[in-house]
Amino acid sequence: MAPPLRGGSILLAPPLFFLLSLGALGSQYCVPRKTFPYQDEDLRLFREEGVWNYSTMLLREEQGVLMLGAREAIYALDLHNISSKKAAVYWKVTREKQKECAYKGKQSEVECRNYIQTLHPVNQTTMYVCGTNAFSPVCDYMSYSDGQLLLHGRQEEGKGKCPFDPFQRYSSLMVGSDLYSATFINFLGSEPVVLRSSQTAVRTEFKSSWLNEPTFVYMDHIPESVDSADGDDDKVYLFFSEKAMEYDFYSKLTVSRVARVCKEDMGGQRTLQRKWTSFVKARLDCSLPEPSLPPIVQDVFLLKDHNWRRSVFYAVFTPQSGSSRLSAVCAFSVTAVREVFNEGKFKTPVAVETSHVKWVMHSGELPVPRPGACINNAARRLGMGNSLDLPDKTLQFIRDRPLMDEAVRPLTGRPLLVTRGPALTRIVVDSVRALDGKEYAVMFIGTENGFIQKAVNYEGEMFVIEETQVYEDPQPITTLRLSSTKGHVYAGSTSGVVQMPVSNCGRQRSCSDCVLARDPYCAWDLPTARCASLGSGRSAAVQSLVEGDTSKCPQPEPVPVIEVTLVPGNNLQLPCSAASNLAQVHWLLSDRPLGAGPRYYQYPGGLLLLNASGPDAGRYVCRSVERARGGTHNRTLAVYLLAPGLGGPGGAGKGQEGEAPVDKAVANSTAGPDIPGATAAKGPGPAEPGGPETQTDGGRVAGLRVAVGVLALLCLALTAALLWKVKREPLLRLLPWGGPRESKAKTPVTEYAQVQNHAASEGKTAGEAPGSPCLGNNHHSGVDFKGNGPPHFTSMRDISCLDGLGYINDESEI
């Protein structure tokens, strides 16, 4: 082996070095089309005073309840409205157990409580429930009937079924009457085990080659015996991460794994007695678009198909290094995972000169039957009816070599979705039939700051429909469940559980917005002229998911003209927000692109005109431009008519080119309050007393305004220099005068590259790839107005330096 590099460098085995170097061509990240901040009326919330860690959920759709496990409490909540509690049972630790736990060094009021970790159905009314019980796990049976929730009092030993530590991740699954669990079996949390609790209990070996400091994530059952030509057995798949044994690395490197066992595995006769004879594992590959250490799997969801061969695992990955803020979603087909285990080569340990073990691909012959395989027709023909009949040669091989050489590759060859910003935490996936008759997989992805993103893949193009803030205070989503029949997503966290509908079509107010949302749940209903759910089988509806084609939409109503009095020397604010995060705003002045100038500033909330003068009079049109496969969509959002003297006799109420007029009072109220510190039509008109011609010392005032303009330009140059220097860091953290006071409720999930929707744009910073909302997606690139438009600001806050330089809000300040 070559000597390690000097200077603190590390030496990597060639396969890992190649893995670290992988990256997609281009670093573009998915951007939600719209961001919806927290709103009480769209959500249902359940929490109870003094109860925390709402982390365990079980949907009992036949009974119409959501079973919710928390710290020392279990609830039965109405599945339609979880704010309605139907029943509850409280399962607290005894005072003696709590004292014993604290005596062993644990925190009495935090760790030494009973955290409900396991909830599985046994039959229509009975469930199996386990809790940590102050680091002494215990299980019991519980029933729900006639609105009553009852613990049976038949407590069982919970060791191996439930973790000791309430904050240690684990996974479990009930298959028939057998409980499969992946957890730690001792108080210290140092002995991991994958256990089947049944009449013939089977578990993993306590060997680092089987499980090496794992973090368990997810388990599920695949009925592979159904329609199996070779008489194969059902499988239980386990997803986890662990410290890798196969790479030469100074520090321990974590990798993501998938493992499987056979449902009918009974262990070996002499070798591997009461141990899995079918435990095999492989690395999961989900390469991020930047060179990095292998990302870590955080959550998995199995989207089941009636043909199990078409089922797909969707997995969320986050970086293991704090220097990266990327998260990804990768999809793995069941057939791809199965192929690696059934046909792939194994890794084998070999001794090297440095007296440690190196893992390489096993190139020798394999014993018969194949190690790690289930009992099938071929084994039965050899006289092997179950795993107890397997020969020692096969069992010894799999005992020492449970790791596959080949990694499981993503279904699409690369991540489906990549985001930059707060980490993704949990995922559920729904299968939706759209108007075109096709089925689409819609992903609901939780984040560490309390948002749920909704995304779908259209023929290789990843599209994030929206993101919704489900918690008023940012907090990680730790549990996510989906009820397709009820049409709701349930998100759990430390402080409570939230119910959110899978779609809220009414948020899209126009036909073009409804179609461009490309939401499989929604379509524009022509008879009622509203964006509505597809559930009622609408015959006259417009939906274009792949193309985003709005050509079938009716022509929108003309935008009313807002008349604004132009008073020379005043500062004018013309509010206008982009229609979505993927759109950009384009301003026209008298039907021509607004030219760049030191007095025009565009920001997500509109246009700011400093020190207005006579030549600025005219017709200002704000247009939102958004691209989709179906073409570029232009939409007029606002029209302003600036002219001296409007609002005098005969001035108000005049529209242009057939557009509906708006009186001056409405114009002023519309233009003013949107952005604090700016005014729509400041000062009296020429026909009123006190106009500009009556002001004293006009030369000094004009000079002050010129000075303010020059200082504003210097501030803009400084801002641009800072942006160029630090690139990815949000501007507001670096400006010397500090960022504005902003509400936590509007913290966004991702960094955006486009001009933002004002309702949700506060605090957003520019992404790395302007106009490119998603990896591998070239259909939504932003419109480039270089040379046509004035400088752009990320938000109104980016020009807060104007206030510090004496930005004049009112003539009285002079």
Side-chain angles (χ1 to χ4, degrees):
M1 178 183 293
L5 301 178
R6 301 185 180 219
S9 300
I10 52 177
L11 180 66
L12 304 179
L16 181 60
F17 180 78
F18 177 73
L19 174 69
L20 297 181
S21 302
L22 284 177
L25 298 175
S27 54
Q28 304 166 12
Y29 310 108
C30 291
V31 173
R33 182 177 180 269
K34 285 198 173 182
T35 300
F36 297 102
Y38 180 79
Q39 293 181 345
D40 292 348
E41 58 269 20
D42 296 333
L43 306 169
R44 296 288 183 270
L45 173 67
F46 175 81
R47 64 161 60 106
E48 194 166 77
E49 189 69 28
V51 178
W52 305 95
N53 290 79
Y54 301 83
S55 57
T56 307
M57 294 186 196
L58 173 63
L59 295 174
R60 302 304 304 261
E61 295 185 289
E62 70 282 358
Q63 295 178 302
V65 294
L66 171 70
M67 305 305 304
L68 176 64
R71 192 178 78 172
E72 300 190 329
I74 308 167
Y75 303 97
L77 307 179
D78 189 334
L79 206 55
H80 298 279
N81 180 4
I82 62 169
S83 298
S84 172
K85 180 176 70 174
K86 291 192 169 184
V89 62
Y90 299 93
W91 189 5
K92 298 186 178 183
V93 296
T94 63
R95 184 60 62 92
E96 291 74 19
K97 279 288 182 186
Q98 194 170 7
K99 287 182 178 179
E100 179 184 339
C101 172
Y103 181 75
K104 293 179 180 179
K106 302 302 178 181
Q107 293 177 302
S108 176
E109 294 303 319
V110 179
E111 297 169 295
C112 299
R113 296 294 190 96
N114 189 24
Y115 291 79
I116 307 303
Q117 301 285 65
T118 301
L119 266 175
H120 292 298
V122 176
N123 54 43
Q124 289 185 347
T125 60
T126 306
M127 291 152 283
Y128 194 66
V129 56
C130 301
T132 59
N133 194 38
F135 273 75
S136 179
V138 65
C139 299
D140 201 346
Y141 291 88
M142 181 179 66
S143 60
Y144 176 76
S145 60
D146 299 326
Q148 298 294 320
L149 199 58
L150 178 66
L151 278 172
H152 291 185
R154 296 159 46 193
Q155 293 190 3
E156 300 177 350
E157 172 67 55
K159 187 169 71 172
K161 304 175 184 178
C162 173
F164 285 72
D165 188 340
F167 306 111
Q168 197 170 45
R169 291 204 61 181
Y170 87 108
S171 185
S172 64
L173 174 73
M174 187 74 79
V175 181
S177 58
D178 297 339
L179 177 69
Y180 292 77
S181 56
T183 185
F184 291 82
I185 203 167
N186 65 332
F187 181 90
L188 296 176
S190 58
E191 295 181 3
V193 66
V194 178
L195 173 69
R196 183 185 68 204
S197 301
S198 63
Q199 291 183 348
T200 54
V202 184
R203 64 172 177 84
T204 47
E205 280 270 28
F206 291 128
K207 294 181 64 174
S208 59
S209 58
W210 283 49
L211 295 169
N212 189 24
E213 300 180 41
T215 299
F216 299 111
V217 171
Y218 178 82
M219 300 179 82
D220 218 322
H221 169 247
I222 302 292
E224 296 185 24
S225 63
V226 177
D227 298 327
S228 173
D230 59 357
D232 203 357
D233 190 12
D234 289 355
K235 312 290 195 311
V236 172
Y237 287 87
L238 168 67
F239 291 81
F240 63 103
S241 61
E242 67 172 348
K243 303 300 182 183
M245 300 283 294
E246 66 267 33
Y247 297 123
D248 296 328
F249 210 83
Y250 270 148
S251 60
K252 294 180 179 180
L253 178 72
T254 303
V255 295
S256 300
R257 305 279 199 206
V258 57
R260 79 169 191 192
V261 293
C262 300
K263 181 172 177 285
E264 300 300 327
D265 193 341
M266 301 173 65
Q269 185 67 42
R270 292 173 296 275
T271 304
L272 293 178
Q273 290 184 9
R274 298 201 173 193
K275 310 293 194 318
W276 297 107
T277 66
S278 56
F279 181 84
V280 285
K281 62 181 182 179
R283 183 173 61 84
L284 288 171
D285 179 26
C286 184
S287 299
L288 296 175
E290 294 179 357
S292 63
L293 296 172
I296 306 305
V297 62
Q298 298 297 330
D299 194 32
V300 180
F301 182 87
L302 175 61
L303 183 60
K304 297 181 179 180
D305 191 274
H306 65 277
N307 181 350
W308 60 265
R309 295 173 180 83
R310 294 200 293 264
S311 298
V312 176
F313 291 108
Y314 288 83
V316 167
F317 290 81
T318 58
Q320 62 178 297
S321 169
S323 61
S324 175
R325 299 183 65 221
L326 298 185
S327 297
V329 175
C330 279
F332 303 92
S333 70
V334 168
T335 53
V337 180
R338 173 184 168 88
E339 184 178 347
V340 168
F341 288 135
N342 287 358
E343 302 175 16
K345 292 184 177 295
F346 291 85
K347 279 191 178 294
T348 187
V350 295
V352 294
E353 295 178 359
T354 52
S355 301
H356 74 276
V357 173
K358 182 179 179 66
W359 289 79
V360 299
M361 184 182 72
H362 178 79
S363 55
E365 292 187 4
L366 295 178
V368 178
R370 178 184 170 89
C374 301
I375 300 297
N376 54 20
N377 292 339
R380 294 183 187 99
R381 285 194 291 268
L382 296 174
M384 303 173 194
N386 57 55
S387 63
L388 295 172
D389 300 327
L390 291 172
D392 285 345
K393 192 173 183 180
T394 293
L395 299 179
Q396 289 167 358
F397 185 98
I398 200 63
R399 180 192 61 191
D400 300 329
R401 306 170 183 86
L403 178 61
M404 308 305 300
D405 181 68
E406 183 182 354
V408 181
R409 308 295 175 186
L411 184 63
T412 55
R414 62 181 182 182
L416 278 176
L417 178 148
V418 180
T419 64
R420 177 182 292 279
L424 307 181
T425 58
R426 300 291 184 267
I427 185 171
V428 293
V429 187
D430 195 11
S431 183
V432 183
R433 184 176 295 277
L435 278 182
D436 57 11
K438 297 180 181 179
E439 294 276 346
Y440 294 95
V442 181
M443 297 180 287
F444 297 89
I445 310 164
T447 71
E448 67 177 354
N449 63 339
F451 279 76
I452 293 180
Q453 295 187 3
K454 182 178 176 182
V456 64
N457 188 277
Y458 293 126
E459 299 181 0
E461 175 202 0
M462 198 68 222
F463 184 74
V464 184
I465 299 168
E466 63 192 27
E467 61 180 358
T468 303
Q469 185 176 357
V470 296
Y471 289 102
E472 188 171 7
D473 297 320
Q475 55 189 291
I477 292 176
T478 58
T479 311
L480 209 55
R481 294 290 183 268
L482 168 72
S483 174
S484 298
T485 58
K486 308 300 181 185
H488 287 100
V489 174
Y490 306 91
S493 73
T494 300
S495 66
V497 59
V498 171
Q499 171 187 330
M500 183 190 83
V502 294
S503 65
N504 192 341
C505 304
R507 287 173 171 171
Q508 316 300 337
R509 300 301 177 87
S510 67
C511 180
S512 61
D513 233 10
C514 186
V515 174
L516 288 173
R518 300 166 73 187
D519 189 336
Y521 294 98
C522 304
W524 185 258
D525 186 52
L526 293 172
T528 61
R530 64 188 184 95
C531 196
S533 171
L534 296 180
S536 53
R538 304 177 185 281
S539 57
V542 180
Q543 187 186 66
S544 178
L545 301 181
V546 177
E547 300 294 331
D549 183 8
T550 62
S551 60
K552 295 182 181 179
C553 284
Q555 288 298 318
E557 292 292 326
V559 176
V561 177
I562 298 176
E563 298 176 347
V564 180
T565 300
L566 188 153
V567 178
N570 272 4
N571 307 314
L572 299 177
Q573 170 221 338
L574 306 180
C576 181
S577 300
S580 77
N581 295 326
L582 302 185
Q584 286 192 344
V585 167
H586 189 194
W587 283 89
L588 302 177
L589 173 55
S590 301
D591 297 326
R592 293 185 179 182
L594 186 64
R599 295 180 299 106
Y600 295 110
Y601 295 100
Q602 293 185 32
Y603 62 98
L607 176 69
L608 187 64
L609 175 59
L610 297 178
N611 196 18
S613 60
D616 295 321
R619 187 170 181 268
Y620 289 75
V621 178
C622 174
R623 287 186 177 176
S624 175
V625 183
E626 183 173 344
R627 286 185 179 176
R629 284 186 181 181
T632 300
H633 304 273
N634 296 289
R635 176 182 171 189
T636 300
L637 300 177
V639 179
Y640 295 95
L641 184 61
L642 272 65
L646 280 179
K654 294 181 181 179
Q656 287 194 2
E657 300 180 10
E659 292 167 319
V662 174
D663 61 41
K664 182 180 176 184
V666 174
N668 286 337
S669 65
T670 305
D674 239 26
I675 303 297
T679 56
K682 196 70 180 174
E688 300 172 1
E693 64 272 17
T694 66
Q695 296 175 2
T696 62
D697 204 2
R700 186 164 57 86
V701 172
L704 179 59
R705 288 172 178 154
V706 171
V708 169
V710 172
L711 290 174
L713 285 176
L714 290 175
C715 181
L716 175 61
L718 175 61
T719 301
L722 285 171
L723 279 174
W724 177 260
K725 181 177 180 181
V726 300
K727 290 185 180 178
R728 300 182 184 179
E729 287 297 321
L731 171 64
L732 297 179
R733 297 179 190 169
L734 302 169
L735 293 178
W737 49 82
R741 297 181 298 273
E742 63 179 274
S743 170
K744 291 183 180 180
K746 294 189 178 181
T747 303
V749 164
T750 51
E751 298 181 3
Y752 295 99
Q754 286 76 28
V755 175
Q756 305 304 319
N757 187 10
H758 179 63
S761 66
E762 299 188 19
K764 295 185 178 178
T765 58
E768 287 191 33
S772 302
C774 196
L775 178 67
N777 175 4
N778 297 319
H779 306 291
H780 288 79
S781 56
V783 181
D784 183 9
F785 293 119
K786 285 185 179 178
N788 292 335
H792 284 70
F793 285 90
T794 302
S795 76
M796 183 65 181
R797 296 179 176 127
D798 293 353
I799 57 173
S800 60
C801 53
L802 294 178
D803 292 326
L805 295 174
Y807 172 59
I808 301 172
N809 290 322
D810 196 285
E811 294 290 346
S812 62
E813 297 180 15
I814 300 175

